[in-house]
Amino acid sequence: MSRRLSGTLNFSTSASEMKWDNIMKSLAACLLSLAFFAPGLASAESGVTPERVLLGQSVALTGPAAALGIEMRTGAKVYFDYVNSKGGIYGRKIELRTLDDGYEPARTGPNTKNLIEQEQVFALFGYVGTPTAAAALPIFTQARVPFFGAFTGAELLREPFNPYIFNVRASYFDETELIVEQLVSTGAKNIAVFYQSDSYGQAGLKGVERAMSKRNLKISATGTVERNTIDVASATKAIHAVQPDAVVMISAYKSCGEFIRQMKKASSAAQFYNVSFVGSKALAEDLGKDGVGVAISQVMPFPWAASVPVVKEYQQLMLKAGQKDFTYSTVEGYVAAKVFVEGLRRTGKDLNREKFIAALEKMDNVDVGGFFVSFSPKNHNASKFVDLTIIAREGKFLR
Protein backbone atom coordinates (compact mmCIF):
# COMPACT_ATOMS: atom_id res chain seq x y z
CA MET A 1 0.00 0.00 0.00
CA SER A 2 1.52 3.37 -1.10
CA ARG A 3 1.41 6.52 1.07
CA ARG A 4 1.53 10.17 0.07
CA LEU A 5 4.12 12.35 1.83
CA SER A 6 1.34 14.24 3.62
CA GLY A 7 0.37 11.02 5.41
CA THR A 8 -3.00 10.68 3.64
CA LEU A 9 -3.68 7.06 2.71
CA ASN A 10 -3.82 6.05 -0.95
CA PHE A 11 -6.44 3.29 -1.12
CA SER A 12 -5.05 1.52 -4.20
CA THR A 13 -4.54 -2.09 -3.07
CA SER A 14 -2.54 -4.77 -4.81
CA ALA A 15 -3.90 -8.25 -5.59
CA SER A 16 -1.40 -9.86 -3.21
CA GLU A 17 -2.56 -7.60 -0.37
CA MET A 18 -6.21 -8.52 -1.05
CA LYS A 19 -5.28 -12.21 -0.97
CA TRP A 20 -3.50 -11.78 2.37
CA ASP A 21 -6.48 -9.88 3.78
CA ASN A 22 -8.81 -12.71 2.79
CA ILE A 23 -6.53 -15.27 4.44
CA MET A 24 -6.53 -13.32 7.72
CA LYS A 25 -10.33 -13.01 7.66
CA SER A 26 -10.67 -16.77 7.14
CA LEU A 27 -8.26 -17.47 10.01
CA ALA A 28 -10.19 -15.19 12.34
CA ALA A 29 -13.43 -16.95 11.42
CA CYS A 30 -11.87 -20.34 12.18
CA LEU A 31 -10.63 -19.20 15.58
CA LEU A 32 -14.07 -17.82 16.43
CA SER A 33 -15.65 -21.14 15.50
CA LEU A 34 -13.18 -23.04 17.68
CA ALA A 35 -13.92 -20.76 20.64
CA PHE A 36 -17.65 -21.37 20.24
CA PHE A 37 -17.68 -25.11 19.59
CA ALA A 38 -14.69 -26.10 21.76
CA PRO A 39 -14.82 -24.19 25.07
CA GLY A 40 -11.72 -25.98 26.29
CA LEU A 41 -9.74 -24.29 23.53
CA ALA A 42 -11.09 -20.84 24.36
CA SER A 43 -9.90 -18.67 27.22
CA ALA A 44 -10.41 -20.50 30.55
CA GLU A 45 -12.93 -19.43 33.18
CA SER A 46 -11.43 -17.16 35.83
CA GLY A 47 -10.04 -19.13 38.74
CA VAL A 48 -10.29 -22.49 36.99
CA THR A 49 -7.42 -24.58 35.65
CA PRO A 50 -7.12 -28.35 35.14
CA GLU A 51 -5.40 -28.47 38.55
CA ARG A 52 -7.39 -26.08 40.77
CA VAL A 53 -10.43 -23.95 41.53
CA LEU A 54 -9.57 -20.65 43.22
CA LEU A 55 -12.06 -19.11 45.68
CA GLY A 56 -11.86 -15.73 47.40
CA GLN A 57 -12.90 -14.71 50.89
CA SER A 58 -12.85 -11.44 52.85
CA VAL A 59 -13.40 -11.80 56.60
CA ALA A 60 -12.19 -10.43 59.92
CA LEU A 61 -8.93 -12.11 60.89
CA THR A 62 -8.04 -9.28 63.28
CA GLY A 63 -10.07 -6.93 65.49
CA PRO A 64 -12.99 -7.46 67.88
CA ALA A 65 -14.86 -9.80 65.50
CA ALA A 66 -11.81 -11.87 64.51
CA ALA A 67 -13.08 -15.10 66.06
CA LEU A 68 -15.99 -15.16 63.61
CA GLY A 69 -13.82 -14.86 60.51
CA ILE A 70 -11.13 -17.23 61.75
CA GLU A 71 -13.65 -19.91 62.68
CA MET A 72 -15.62 -19.61 59.45
CA ARG A 73 -12.41 -20.00 57.46
CA THR A 74 -11.19 -22.89 59.63
CA GLY A 75 -14.35 -24.94 59.17
CA ALA A 76 -14.34 -24.41 55.42
CA LYS A 77 -10.66 -25.26 55.05
CA VAL A 78 -11.02 -28.46 57.02
CA TYR A 79 -13.52 -29.72 54.46
CA PHE A 80 -11.73 -28.32 51.40
CA ASP A 81 -8.46 -29.90 52.58
CA TYR A 82 -10.23 -33.23 53.04
CA VAL A 83 -11.61 -33.06 49.48
CA ASN A 84 -8.17 -32.10 48.17
CA SER A 85 -6.60 -35.08 49.97
CA LYS A 86 -8.93 -37.32 47.99
CA GLY A 87 -7.81 -35.81 44.67
CA GLY A 88 -10.13 -32.81 44.52
CA ILE A 89 -13.13 -32.54 42.22
CA TYR A 90 -12.41 -33.94 38.75
CA GLY A 91 -8.73 -33.58 39.56
CA ARG A 92 -9.03 -29.94 40.62
CA LYS A 93 -7.88 -28.96 44.12
CA ILE A 94 -9.84 -26.21 45.88
CA GLU A 95 -7.81 -23.22 47.03
CA LEU A 96 -9.33 -20.63 49.36
CA ARG A 97 -7.60 -17.25 49.34
CA THR A 98 -8.57 -15.20 52.41
CA LEU A 99 -8.06 -11.47 52.98
CA ASP A 100 -8.53 -9.65 56.28
CA ASP A 101 -11.13 -6.88 56.41
CA GLY A 102 -11.34 -6.48 60.20
CA TYR A 103 -15.16 -6.53 59.88
CA GLU A 104 -14.98 -3.08 58.29
CA PRO A 105 -16.84 -2.57 54.99
CA ALA A 106 -14.35 0.12 53.91
CA ARG A 107 -11.80 -2.70 53.61
CA THR A 108 -14.16 -5.31 52.19
CA GLY A 109 -14.83 -3.41 48.96
CA PRO A 110 -11.15 -3.13 47.93
CA ASN A 111 -10.56 -6.75 49.03
CA THR A 112 -13.40 -7.91 46.81
CA LYS A 113 -12.12 -5.96 43.81
CA ASN A 114 -8.67 -7.41 44.40
CA LEU A 115 -9.98 -10.96 44.55
CA ILE A 116 -12.05 -10.56 41.37
CA GLU A 117 -9.78 -8.37 39.24
CA GLN A 118 -6.26 -9.27 40.39
CA GLU A 119 -6.55 -12.77 41.83
CA GLN A 120 -9.29 -13.64 39.30
CA VAL A 121 -11.14 -16.03 41.59
CA PHE A 122 -13.87 -18.35 40.32
CA ALA A 123 -16.26 -17.44 43.15
CA LEU A 124 -16.46 -15.60 46.46
CA PHE A 125 -17.06 -17.80 49.47
CA GLY A 126 -17.87 -17.48 53.16
CA TYR A 127 -17.85 -13.73 53.74
CA VAL A 128 -18.67 -12.77 57.33
CA GLY A 129 -21.07 -9.97 58.24
CA THR A 130 -23.89 -7.85 56.87
CA PRO A 131 -22.15 -4.47 56.38
CA THR A 132 -19.20 -6.21 54.74
CA ALA A 133 -21.49 -8.21 52.44
CA ALA A 134 -23.28 -4.97 51.55
CA ALA A 135 -19.96 -3.43 50.48
CA ALA A 136 -19.20 -6.42 48.24
CA LEU A 137 -22.70 -6.68 46.74
CA PRO A 138 -22.45 -4.18 43.85
CA ILE A 139 -18.94 -5.34 42.99
CA PHE A 140 -19.59 -9.06 42.56
CA THR A 141 -22.97 -8.38 40.94
CA GLN A 142 -21.45 -6.20 38.25
CA ALA A 143 -18.67 -8.76 37.71
CA ARG A 144 -21.19 -11.65 37.66
CA VAL A 145 -19.22 -13.65 40.20
CA PRO A 146 -21.06 -16.16 42.45
CA PHE A 147 -21.23 -15.11 46.12
CA PHE A 148 -21.72 -18.24 48.16
CA GLY A 149 -22.42 -19.14 51.79
CA ALA A 150 -22.02 -15.79 53.54
CA PHE A 151 -22.17 -15.81 57.35
CA THR A 152 -25.12 -13.40 57.61
CA GLY A 153 -28.88 -13.75 57.60
CA ALA A 154 -29.61 -10.25 56.29
CA GLU A 155 -32.44 -9.65 53.85
CA LEU A 156 -30.22 -7.57 51.57
CA LEU A 157 -28.77 -10.88 50.34
CA ARG A 158 -32.26 -12.28 49.83
CA GLU A 159 -34.46 -9.47 48.58
CA PRO A 160 -34.49 -8.44 45.84
CA PHE A 161 -33.46 -11.72 44.24
CA ASN A 162 -29.88 -11.71 42.95
CA PRO A 163 -28.89 -14.58 40.61
CA TYR A 164 -25.30 -14.60 41.90
CA ILE A 165 -26.06 -14.92 45.64
CA PHE A 166 -26.48 -18.33 47.27
CA ASN A 167 -27.34 -18.44 50.99
CA VAL A 168 -26.84 -21.67 52.91
CA ARG A 169 -28.16 -20.48 56.29
CA ALA A 170 -31.58 -19.31 57.44
CA SER A 171 -32.33 -15.57 57.61
CA TYR A 172 -32.42 -13.18 60.57
CA PHE A 173 -36.17 -12.95 59.99
CA ASP A 174 -36.36 -16.71 60.58
CA GLU A 175 -34.24 -16.42 63.73
CA THR A 176 -36.04 -13.47 65.28
CA GLU A 177 -39.42 -15.07 64.56
CA LEU A 178 -38.43 -18.12 66.61
CA ILE A 179 -36.98 -15.97 69.41
CA VAL A 180 -40.11 -13.83 69.73
CA GLU A 181 -42.34 -16.91 69.51
CA GLN A 182 -40.39 -18.50 72.37
CA LEU A 183 -40.51 -15.36 74.51
CA VAL A 184 -44.22 -14.73 74.04
CA SER A 185 -45.04 -18.37 74.72
CA THR A 186 -43.37 -18.03 78.13
CA GLY A 187 -45.32 -14.86 78.96
CA ALA A 188 -42.75 -12.20 78.03
CA LYS A 189 -44.28 -9.11 76.45
CA ASN A 190 -41.98 -6.29 77.58
CA ILE A 191 -39.26 -6.91 75.00
CA ALA A 192 -36.39 -4.53 74.21
CA VAL A 193 -33.78 -4.66 71.44
CA PHE A 194 -30.05 -3.97 71.68
CA TYR A 195 -28.55 -3.68 68.21
CA GLN A 196 -25.44 -2.71 66.28
CA SER A 197 -25.81 0.65 64.55
CA ASP A 198 -25.40 -0.55 60.96
CA SER A 199 -27.09 -2.71 58.34
CA TYR A 200 -26.65 -5.87 60.44
CA GLY A 201 -28.34 -4.35 63.46
CA GLN A 202 -31.09 -2.84 61.34
CA ALA A 203 -31.76 -6.22 59.70
CA GLY A 204 -32.21 -7.88 63.08
CA LEU A 205 -34.28 -5.00 64.44
CA LYS A 206 -36.64 -5.24 61.47
CA GLY A 207 -37.00 -8.96 62.09
CA VAL A 208 -37.99 -8.39 65.72
CA GLU A 209 -40.44 -5.66 64.68
CA ARG A 210 -42.08 -8.00 62.17
CA ALA A 211 -42.39 -10.82 64.70
CA MET A 212 -43.75 -8.49 67.40
CA SER A 213 -46.24 -6.84 65.04
CA LYS A 214 -47.52 -10.27 64.03
CA ARG A 215 -48.51 -10.71 67.68
CA ASN A 216 -49.86 -7.15 68.11
CA LEU A 217 -46.91 -6.15 70.29
CA LYS A 218 -44.38 -3.31 70.13
CA ILE A 219 -40.74 -3.11 71.15
CA SER A 220 -40.57 -1.39 74.54
CA ALA A 221 -37.11 0.19 74.16
CA THR A 222 -34.02 0.13 71.94
CA GLY A 223 -30.33 0.80 72.43
CA THR A 224 -27.46 0.85 69.95
CA VAL A 225 -23.72 0.28 69.84
CA GLU A 226 -21.24 1.22 67.13
CA ARG A 227 -19.62 -1.62 65.22
CA ASN A 228 -16.30 -2.86 66.66
CA THR A 229 -16.80 -0.95 69.94
CA ILE A 230 -18.07 -1.80 73.45
CA ASP A 231 -19.46 1.62 74.36
CA VAL A 232 -22.80 0.38 75.67
CA ALA A 233 -23.48 2.87 78.51
CA SER A 234 -26.28 4.78 76.80
CA ALA A 235 -27.90 1.58 75.49
CA THR A 236 -27.81 0.05 78.97
CA LYS A 237 -29.42 3.14 80.51
CA ALA A 238 -32.20 3.35 77.90
CA ILE A 239 -33.10 -0.33 78.01
CA HIS A 240 -32.77 -0.87 81.77
CA ALA A 241 -35.15 2.07 82.33
CA VAL A 242 -38.13 0.03 81.01
CA GLN A 243 -37.28 -3.03 83.16
CA PRO A 244 -37.69 -5.44 80.21
CA ASP A 245 -38.69 -9.07 80.52
CA ALA A 246 -36.21 -9.84 77.75
CA VAL A 247 -33.69 -8.20 75.44
CA VAL A 248 -33.13 -9.43 71.89
CA MET A 249 -29.56 -8.65 70.85
CA ILE A 250 -28.20 -8.11 67.35
CA SER A 251 -24.48 -7.41 67.57
CA ALA A 252 -21.12 -9.20 67.80
CA TYR A 253 -19.82 -11.02 70.88
CA LYS A 254 -17.66 -8.27 72.41
CA SER A 255 -20.40 -5.64 72.54
CA CYS A 256 -23.10 -8.14 73.51
CA GLY A 257 -20.91 -9.45 76.31
CA GLU A 258 -20.29 -5.97 77.68
CA PHE A 259 -23.98 -5.07 77.46
CA ILE A 260 -25.03 -8.18 79.38
CA ARG A 261 -22.44 -7.49 82.10
CA GLN A 262 -23.60 -3.89 82.46
CA MET A 263 -27.26 -4.91 82.63
CA LYS A 264 -26.51 -7.49 85.31
CA LYS A 265 -24.52 -4.92 87.30
CA ALA A 266 -27.65 -2.77 87.19
CA SER A 267 -29.55 -5.73 88.70
CA SER A 268 -31.60 -6.41 85.56
CA ALA A 269 -33.72 -9.56 85.65
CA ALA A 270 -34.10 -9.63 81.86
CA GLN A 271 -33.59 -12.72 79.73
CA PHE A 272 -30.95 -12.20 77.01
CA TYR A 273 -31.44 -13.62 73.52
CA ASN A 274 -28.90 -13.36 70.69
CA VAL A 275 -29.04 -14.23 67.00
CA SER A 276 -26.50 -16.67 65.60
CA PHE A 277 -24.05 -14.10 64.23
CA VAL A 278 -23.02 -13.15 67.76
CA GLY A 279 -20.46 -15.97 67.78
CA SER A 280 -21.69 -18.46 70.36
CA LYS A 281 -18.43 -19.90 71.68
CA ALA A 282 -16.73 -16.49 71.68
CA LEU A 283 -19.65 -14.96 73.62
CA ALA A 284 -19.62 -17.78 76.18
CA GLU A 285 -15.87 -17.34 76.70
CA ASP A 286 -16.20 -13.56 76.94
CA LEU A 287 -18.98 -13.75 79.54
CA GLY A 288 -17.63 -16.55 81.70
CA LYS A 289 -19.97 -17.15 84.67
CA ASP A 290 -22.17 -14.23 83.52
CA GLY A 291 -23.11 -16.24 80.44
CA VAL A 292 -25.19 -18.89 82.20
CA GLY A 293 -28.76 -18.72 80.92
CA VAL A 294 -28.05 -16.52 77.90
CA ALA A 295 -29.90 -17.81 74.84
CA ILE A 296 -28.71 -17.90 71.22
CA SER A 297 -30.63 -18.87 68.10
CA GLN A 298 -28.70 -21.17 65.77
CA VAL A 299 -28.95 -21.97 62.06
CA MET A 300 -26.59 -24.94 61.93
CA PRO A 301 -26.61 -28.42 63.49
CA PHE A 302 -25.49 -28.74 67.14
CA PRO A 303 -21.66 -29.07 66.89
CA TRP A 304 -21.53 -31.65 69.70
CA ALA A 305 -24.31 -33.92 68.37
CA ALA A 306 -22.32 -36.78 66.83
CA SER A 307 -25.63 -38.53 66.10
CA VAL A 308 -26.06 -36.13 63.16
CA PRO A 309 -23.99 -37.54 60.24
CA VAL A 310 -22.55 -34.22 59.05
CA VAL A 311 -21.57 -33.32 62.63
CA LYS A 312 -19.89 -36.68 63.20
CA GLU A 313 -17.93 -36.19 59.97
CA TYR A 314 -17.10 -32.60 60.96
CA GLN A 315 -15.82 -33.70 64.38
CA GLN A 316 -13.62 -36.42 62.93
CA LEU A 317 -12.04 -34.16 60.31
CA MET A 318 -11.61 -31.26 62.76
CA LEU A 319 -9.71 -33.51 65.19
CA LYS A 320 -7.64 -34.98 62.35
CA ALA A 321 -6.70 -31.40 61.38
CA GLY A 322 -5.67 -30.63 64.96
CA GLN A 323 -8.75 -28.52 65.69
CA LYS A 324 -10.12 -29.51 69.10
CA ASP A 325 -12.67 -26.73 69.61
CA PHE A 326 -16.07 -27.44 68.12
CA THR A 327 -18.12 -24.28 67.46
CA TYR A 328 -21.17 -23.18 65.52
CA SER A 329 -19.02 -20.89 63.35
CA THR A 330 -16.69 -23.70 62.27
CA VAL A 331 -19.70 -25.95 61.59
CA GLU A 332 -21.14 -23.21 59.39
CA GLY A 333 -17.93 -22.92 57.41
CA TYR A 334 -17.78 -26.70 57.09
CA VAL A 335 -21.40 -27.09 55.93
CA ALA A 336 -21.12 -24.19 53.48
CA ALA A 337 -17.97 -25.76 52.01
CA LYS A 338 -19.65 -29.13 51.69
CA VAL A 339 -22.64 -27.65 49.85
CA PHE A 340 -20.30 -25.69 47.56
CA VAL A 341 -18.33 -28.85 46.72
CA GLU A 342 -21.54 -30.71 45.96
CA GLY A 343 -22.34 -27.93 43.50
CA LEU A 344 -18.94 -28.38 41.84
CA ARG A 345 -19.45 -32.13 41.63
CA ARG A 346 -22.85 -31.73 40.00
CA THR A 347 -21.49 -29.19 37.49
CA GLY A 348 -19.15 -31.74 35.93
CA LYS A 349 -15.69 -31.50 34.41
CA ASP A 350 -16.48 -28.55 32.13
CA LEU A 351 -16.59 -25.97 34.91
CA ASN A 352 -17.65 -22.37 34.45
CA ARG A 353 -19.75 -19.98 36.48
CA GLU A 354 -22.88 -20.29 34.36
CA LYS A 355 -22.90 -24.08 34.57
CA PHE A 356 -22.10 -24.00 38.28
CA ILE A 357 -25.07 -21.72 38.99
CA ALA A 358 -27.33 -23.96 36.88
CA ALA A 359 -26.16 -27.04 38.81
CA LEU A 360 -26.83 -25.38 42.17
CA GLU A 361 -30.33 -24.41 41.06
CA LYS A 362 -31.15 -28.09 40.51
CA MET A 363 -30.24 -29.09 44.07
CA ASP A 364 -33.65 -29.93 45.54
CA ASN A 365 -33.84 -31.20 49.14
CA VAL A 366 -30.26 -32.50 49.06
CA ASP A 367 -29.12 -34.25 52.24
CA VAL A 368 -25.54 -33.28 53.18
CA GLY A 369 -25.63 -35.40 56.33
CA GLY A 370 -28.80 -34.68 58.28
CA PHE A 371 -28.86 -31.08 57.07
CA PHE A 372 -31.03 -30.52 54.00
CA VAL A 373 -30.54 -27.81 51.38
CA SER A 374 -32.59 -26.70 48.40
CA PHE A 375 -31.97 -24.17 45.65
CA SER A 376 -34.05 -23.35 42.59
CA PRO A 377 -33.94 -20.82 39.72
CA LYS A 378 -36.19 -18.53 41.79
CA ASN A 379 -34.90 -19.30 45.29
CA HIS A 380 -31.25 -19.21 46.35
CA ASN A 381 -31.90 -19.66 50.09
CA ALA A 382 -30.97 -23.22 50.96
CA SER A 383 -32.33 -23.59 54.50
CA LYS A 384 -34.81 -22.25 57.03
CA PHE A 385 -33.50 -24.40 59.89
CA VAL A 386 -33.41 -22.53 63.24
CA ASP A 387 -32.72 -23.92 66.71
CA LEU A 388 -32.41 -22.39 70.18
CA THR A 389 -29.55 -22.98 72.61
CA ILE A 390 -28.66 -21.77 76.10
CA ILE A 391 -25.22 -21.22 77.59
CA ALA A 392 -24.77 -23.55 80.56
CA ARG A 393 -22.04 -23.78 83.18
CA GLU A 394 -18.39 -23.88 82.05
CA GLY A 395 -19.34 -22.36 78.71
CA LYS A 396 -21.14 -25.45 77.48
CA PHE A 397 -24.35 -25.31 75.44
CA LEU A 398 -27.73 -26.90 75.96
CA ARG A 399 -30.59 -27.26 73.45
Side-chain angles (χ1 to χ4, degrees):
M1 183 181 292
S2 63
R3 294 179 182 270
R4 295 178 181 172
L5 292 177
S6 64
T8 303
L9 291 178
N10 184 335
F11 287 96
S12 60
T13 307
S14 68
S16 60
E17 288 171 330
M18 290 182 66
K19 184 177 180 181
W20 176 249
D21 186 52
N22 290 335
I23 291 172
M24 293 301 294
K25 287 179 179 178
S26 298
L27 180 59
C30 288
L31 289 173
L32 185 61
S33 297
L34 284 171
F36 183 81
F37 290 107
L41 297 177
S43 59
E45 178 70 274
S46 292
V48 178
T49 70
E51 294 79 29
R52 73 165 186 176
V53 179
L54 179 62
L55 309 182
Q57 180 184 43
S58 179
V59 297
L61 300 178
T62 57
L68 304 179
I70 292 170
E71 290 180 8
M72 184 71 173
R73 180 179 185 273
T74 296
K77 268 197 93 306
V78 163
Y79 188 72
F80 287 149
D81 289 347
Y82 165 73
V83 170
N84 291 342
S85 73
K86 300 296 183 180
I89 303 299
Y90 302 109
R92 296 185 178 102
K93 303 293 180 67
I94 302 166
E95 181 180 339
L96 179 62
R97 191 153 301 172
T98 306
L99 301 179
D100 181 18
D101 60 28
Y103 190 40
E104 289 292 350
R107 296 169 62 184
T108 310
N111 280 357
T112 303
K113 286 187 176 182
N114 186 332
L115 290 166
I116 293 174
E117 297 173 6
Q118 304 303 318
E119 302 291 344
Q120 296 193 331
V121 299
F122 170 70
L124 299 171
F125 174 91
Y127 274 45
V128 173
T130 302
T132 46
L137 178 58
I139 300 169
F140 68 73
T141 300
Q142 183 177 14
R144 300 182 180 181
V145 175
F147 185 80
F148 190 95
F151 185 0
T152 169
E155 288 301 301
L156 65 87
L157 295 184
R158 290 161 170 78
E159 294 292 341
F161 176 78
N162 185 314
Y164 303 104
I165 298 174
F166 289 84
N167 298 298
V168 174
R169 58 162 29 232
S171 73
Y172 292 143
F173 283 6
D174 296 325
E175 293 189 61
T176 51
E177 168 64 25
L178 182 63
I179 289 172
V180 172
E181 179 184 18
Q182 171 67 19
L183 287 172
V184 173
S185 71
T186 59
K189 293 183 179 180
N190 182 1
I191 300 171
V193 178
F194 169 76
Y195 66 99
Q196 193 165 286
S197 184
D198 62 10
S199 55
Y200 162 47
Q202 288 290 340
L205 174 64
K206 186 175 181 180
V208 177
E209 288 173 338
R210 281 166 54 100
M212 296 279 284
S213 178
K214 182 178 175 181
R215 295 162 176 84
N216 296 317
L217 297 172
K218 291 186 178 181
I219 295 170
S220 57
T222 60
T224 64
V225 63
E226 294 299 317
R227 181 178 56 251
N228 282 339
T229 74
I230 56 170
D231 184 6
V232 300
S234 61
T236 303
K237 182 178 179 179
I239 290 175
H240 183 58
V242 303
Q243 295 292 306
D245 299 324
V247 182
V248 183
M249 309 172 69
I250 305 102
S251 192
Y253 60 92
K254 283 289 186 183
S255 53
C256 286
E258 184 63 18
F259 175 79
I260 292 170
R261 279 190 292 270
Q262 293 302 321
M263 287 288 285
K264 289 192 172 186
K265 284 181 181 178
S267 301
S268 174
Q271 301 174 64
F272 299 100
Y273 278 73
N274 298 264
V275 294
S276 60
F277 185 80
V278 71
S280 303
K281 185 72 179 291
L283 178 64
E285 291 176 350
D286 185 79
L287 283 170
K289 63 181 182 180
D290 288 327
V292 176
V294 172
I296 307 168
S297 59
Q298 309 290 356
V299 296
M300 288 288 141
F302 196 64
W304 303 276
S307 58
V308 180
V310 72
V311 174
K312 182 178 180 180
E313 178 187 276
Y314 152 85
Q315 291 179 348
Q316 292 173 342
L317 293 182
M318 284 281 286
L319 291 173
K320 188 175 181 180
Q323 301 290 339
K324 298 180 180 180
D325 291 331
F326 302 151
T327 70
Y328 273 102
S329 301
T330 49
V331 164
E332 181 153 355
Y334 186 92
V335 169
K338 188 165 188 180
V339 177
F340 187 91
V341 167
E342 182 61 25
L344 289 179
R345 187 175 287 115
R346 289 168 180 248
T347 304
K349 294 181 180 180
D350 186 13
L351 177 62
N352 62 41
R353 291 168 180 159
E354 184 178 349
K355 291 182 178 180
F356 176 65
I357 289 172
L360 288 174
E361 290 179 339
K362 294 177 183 176
M363 290 176 62
D364 182 22
N365 203 33
V366 174
D367 182 5
V368 293
F371 187 83
F372 293 82
V373 295
S374 293
F375 295 118
S376 75
K378 294 183 179 180
N379 181 21
H380 287 186
N381 305 314
S383 170
K384 292 180 73 68
F385 170 81
V386 185
D387 196 10
L388 280 175
T389 58
I390 295 175
I391 301 176
R393 296 186 183 280
E394 299 179 354
K396 297 185 183 299
F397 288 84
L398 301 175
R399 299 170 66 191

